[in-house]
Amino acid sequence: MKITIHDKRRINEIQQDFARVFPNLQLHFFAAPHESNKAAHEKILIHPSKAISECRVKHVKGEVDIMPHMTVGELKHGLNDAFGLTAQVYRKVGNDWLETVTDTWTLDKHNASCTELNAESTLEVI
């Protein structure tokens, strides 16, 4: 999947593109990087209605190629290096969205893991 990045695009448009391929994952953007191995601080989360120009200092236009075999870490570093974007991937567990803590897992592995977890939680216990 290719996602076009330019200053006038809204964050929610990028999030929708991402969710079409990875329905159990969400992509969030932040005003500033957070420390490695620390939870992203919600106060610097950029609202999805904002333009992408409002959360980056590197104002280049281009496309990011997001592949299922790409790790969360590769996606985050790619978005930062190419476009100056600080991103974090969240995964759906039940009704909650939790920050991924395993940057070495692929996007496909995270997405499939959520599908399995969510399917197990809906099974009826006898």
Side-chain angles (χ1 to χ4, degrees):
M1 150 184 55
K2 290 187 185 292
I3 294 179
T4 302
I5 306 287
H6 59 77
D7 279 348
K8 293 183 180 177
R9 272 202 93 190
R10 300 264 171 226
I11 290 170
N12 60 5
E13 295 171 333
I14 294 167
Q15 290 173 323
Q16 289 169 6
D17 290 347
F18 185 78
R20 279 188 202 98
V21 177
F22 305 105
N24 294 310
L25 303 178
Q26 285 184 344
L27 191 57
H28 290 260
F29 295 94
F30 294 84
H34 59 278
E35 292 181 48
S36 294
N37 302 323
K38 301 276 184 177
H41 195 278
E42 296 300 324
K43 289 184 179 177
I44 58 173
L45 178 68
I46 302 295
H47 194 275
S49 67
K50 299 285 186 180
I52 204 74
S53 63
E54 297 182 55
C55 64
R56 66 184 187 150
V57 292
K58 195 185 270 187
H59 298 275
V60 296
K61 179 182 177 181
E63 288 185 333
V64 59
D65 198 11
I66 301 174
M67 306 299 290
H69 64 273
M70 175 183 275
T71 66
V72 169
E74 289 170 337
L75 174 61
K76 289 169 34 179
H77 290 296
L79 287 169
N80 190 278
D81 293 346
F83 302 103
L85 292 167
T86 300
Q88 180 61 47
V89 176
Y90 284 69
R91 50 188 270 144
K92 186 172 185 176
V93 180
N95 292 326
D96 297 319
W97 289 94
L98 306 175
E99 183 177 342
T100 58
V101 293
T102 312
D103 281 358
T104 58
W105 279 21
T106 65
L107 296 169
D108 200 39
K109 185 173 182 176
H110 273 296
N111 194 60
S113 170
C114 292
T115 298
E116 290 173 22
L117 283 172
N118 293 329
E120 289 173 9
S121 69
T122 59
L123 293 176
E124 187 175 327
V125 178
I126 298 175

